[in-house]
Amino acid sequence: MIEDKNQQRTQLSDLGEFGLIDHLTKNFKINHSSTIKGIGDDAAVLNFKKQVVVTTDLLVEGVHFDLSYMPLKHLGYKSVIVNLSDVYAMNATATQVTISIAVSNRFPLEAIEAIYAGIETAAKIYNIDVIGGDTTSSNKGLLISVTAIGEVDENGVVYRNGAKPNDLLVVSGDIGAAYMGLQVLEREKEVYKVNPNNQPDLEPYTYIIERQLKPEARKDIVKLLSDLDVKPTSMIDISDGLSSEIMHLCTQSKVGCDLYENKLPLDPQVISTCEEFNIDSTTVALNGGEDYELLFTISQDDYPKIKANPNLSVIGFIKEEKEGMHLITRADTKIPIKAQGWKNFND
Ligand code: ADP
Ligand code: MG
């Protein structure tokens, strides 16, 4: 933990702003031909032959993350991932990021190094050039803002608004795990406050905790769809929860949908942890959020191409707008879909 007295603490002021930037960024390599100039001048210079997508997310301590259980390296990693996920949701290839960070003097250099170790790992794994950013102080707490840039062929880009009646609604991976991971971490935090010597057994929760602390972005799904020659008619990434993302797709596409409860892909650890917490797993799947899976629609003609794939689940059908958006329950009842979005969680 960052306040650990035994760890080495180098004051940020010992390096100065330029020393700090240099120290943090000296390992970053440029891999993309679209990066003409990276870190080191007043601005980066890029050159694209395709359409360019740009997206930004701001993460604020105490609002989007809690450092009592979020390791700083994971925070750096996740701050990049959440942005890459938005690039992939446009069916684009992510190529560059900028990183802006505001830190109070309660953070030593070693803490910022840990954040940058996570950023560097994400940049390596996802093949992203880190091309710039800004470094400043804050009175209190930590802020990280990442901007991600990507490229996509003009006819390859997929928007939220292209879903058509009779299209299939498809989701990658499984959902609800990040939310249940957070529930376990919050519970253990409370236990720790009462008894700091208590060593929690987190073994039964490894998958769901990892989904919360170290999410991945579905670059692989964008490649898979391209390999299968499937272009989604609409797409969005799941950051706020399945129901709210379905509502975005349907509203922007001016369509309705039927979503099938018995088709929702849930990991066994989500189901068992929901039982333990006495929470309905469908509610978690619909409203959990932070899954960073891709939700998309495809024409029924493309169904044979995706049906055998274990990474993709067909969870519903697109309907006419006037038919509305519904969940078809296991008991075969129709419930209107609402975006509940548990607000203690994220926004
Ligand atoms: P300026 O004063 O012109 O904003 P800076 O001194 O802030 O320039 O930045 C110098 C260079 O270092 C720029 O290329 C900038 O993009 C980069 N940079 C600054 N902070 C960061 C950071 N936290 N991460 C990555 N690059 C950074
Ligand atoms: Mg600057």
Side-chain angles (χ1 to χ4, degrees):
M1 233 160 273
I2 54 150
E3 317 278 20
D4 186 344
K5 298 284 178 291
N6 299 321
Q7 275 185 0
Q8 197 185 341
R9 291 178 64 95
T10 310
Q11 293 293 319
L12 289 177
S13 51
D14 294 351
L15 280 106
E17 186 191 333
F18 301 124
L20 175 65
I21 294 171
D22 188 51
H23 180 77
L24 293 174
T25 60
K26 61 178 185 285
N27 288 333
F28 291 127
K29 305 243 168 356
I30 298 302
N31 287 317
H32 290 278
S33 56
S34 53
T35 309
I36 307 299
K37 175 76 184 176
I39 291 168
D41 214 304
D42 294 312
V45 179
L46 306 177
N47 184 14
F48 290 95
K49 295 181 177 61
K50 299 182 177 182
Q51 292 202 343
V52 179
V53 300
V54 181
T55 178
T56 297
D57 262 308
L58 173 62
L59 300 181
V60 178
E61 183 181 0
V63 179
H64 301 100
F65 57 89
D66 181 335
L67 289 178
S68 55
Y69 48 71
M70 186 71 166
L72 289 161
K73 186 173 174 184
H74 289 64
L75 177 63
Y77 191 85
K78 186 170 177 174
S79 69
V80 173
I81 294 303
V82 300
N83 280 277
L84 300 186
S85 180
D86 282 320
V87 173
Y88 301 137
M90 300 304 290
N91 206 33
T93 306
T95 44
Q96 289 92 4
V97 290
T98 64
I99 313 284
S100 296
I101 180 162
V103 273
S104 74
N105 56 12
R106 83 173 217 265
F107 293 90
L109 172 66
E110 288 73 16
I112 316 301
E113 282 175 339
I115 295 171
Y116 268 74
I119 290 169
E120 207 180 323
T121 305
K124 245 192 216 124
I125 292 175
Y126 287 85
N127 188 25
I128 307 296
D129 294 346
V130 179
I131 55 157
D134 202 17
T135 311
T136 185
S137 56
S138 81
N139 292 334
K140 197 170 159 275
L142 174 65
L143 281 93
I144 303 181
S145 174
V146 176
T147 296
I149 297 164
E151 58 183 8
V152 57
D153 286 331
E154 191 178 338
N155 51 15
V157 61
V158 176
Y159 296 101
R160 294 178 176 185
N161 66 6
K164 299 275 177 301
N166 298 318
D167 280 357
L168 301 176
L169 186 62
V170 185
V171 68
S172 65
D174 57 73
I175 49 178
Y179 180 82
M180 288 317 292
L182 184 65
Q183 299 316 299
V184 171
L185 290 165
E186 293 276 4
R187 180 180 69 183
E188 295 312 322
K189 181 182 172 184
E190 293 309 311
V191 172
Y192 179 86
K193 274 189 199 157
V194 178
N195 181 4
N197 296 320
N198 185 60
Q199 280 298 323
D201 176 19
L202 296 177
E203 182 59 31
Y205 313 108
T206 43
Y207 176 69
I208 58 175
I209 289 176
E210 177 151 323
R211 292 280 284 173
Q212 170 60 222
L213 296 183
K214 192 173 171 289
E216 302 293 349
R218 298 312 302 257
K219 179 183 183 178
D220 59 325
I221 299 293
V222 173
K223 175 165 190 310
L224 174 74
L225 291 173
S226 149
D227 291 348
L228 295 172
D229 196 25
V230 174
K231 187 187 172 199
T233 51
S234 69
M235 185 150 66
I236 189 168
D237 73 321
I238 304 182
S239 48
D240 295 340
L242 183 66
S243 4
S244 108
E245 314 302 2
I246 286 178
M247 291 180 77
H248 285 310
L249 281 191
C250 288
T251 308
Q252 293 208 19
S253 300
K254 299 190 170 60
V255 294
C257 77
D258 280 350
L259 169 69
Y260 286 83
E261 182 181 23
N262 65 355
K263 300 290 182 199
L264 295 173
L266 300 175
D267 186 85
Q269 247 178 45
V270 171
I271 295 169
S272 58
T273 314
C274 281
E275 279 167 9
E276 188 188 332
F277 279 73
N278 208 6
I279 311 180
D280 175 39
S281 59
T282 299
T283 309
V284 167
L286 292 178
N287 303 299
E290 290 208 296
D291 294 309
Y292 301 107
E293 294 295 343
L294 292 174
L295 174 73
F296 55 93
T297 52
I298 60 169
S299 156
Q300 292 219 15
D301 299 342
D302 284 331
Y303 178 63
K305 300 182 195 165
I306 67 135
K307 70 172 186 210
N309 199 291
N311 287 306
L312 301 176
S313 308
V314 176
I315 56 173
F317 297 98
I318 299 301
K319 310 287 263 188
E320 298 286 348
E321 185 174 28
K322 62 178 188 303
E323 298 192 56
M325 298 171 247
H326 292 96
L327 176 73
I328 315 296
T329 67
R330 287 196 189 84
D332 211 20
T333 52
K334 259 185 146 174
I335 306 176
I337 294 176
K338 286 193 291 266
Q340 294 184 1
W342 277 322
K343 274 299 167 192
N344 62 329
F345 185 50
N346 223 323
D347 54 18

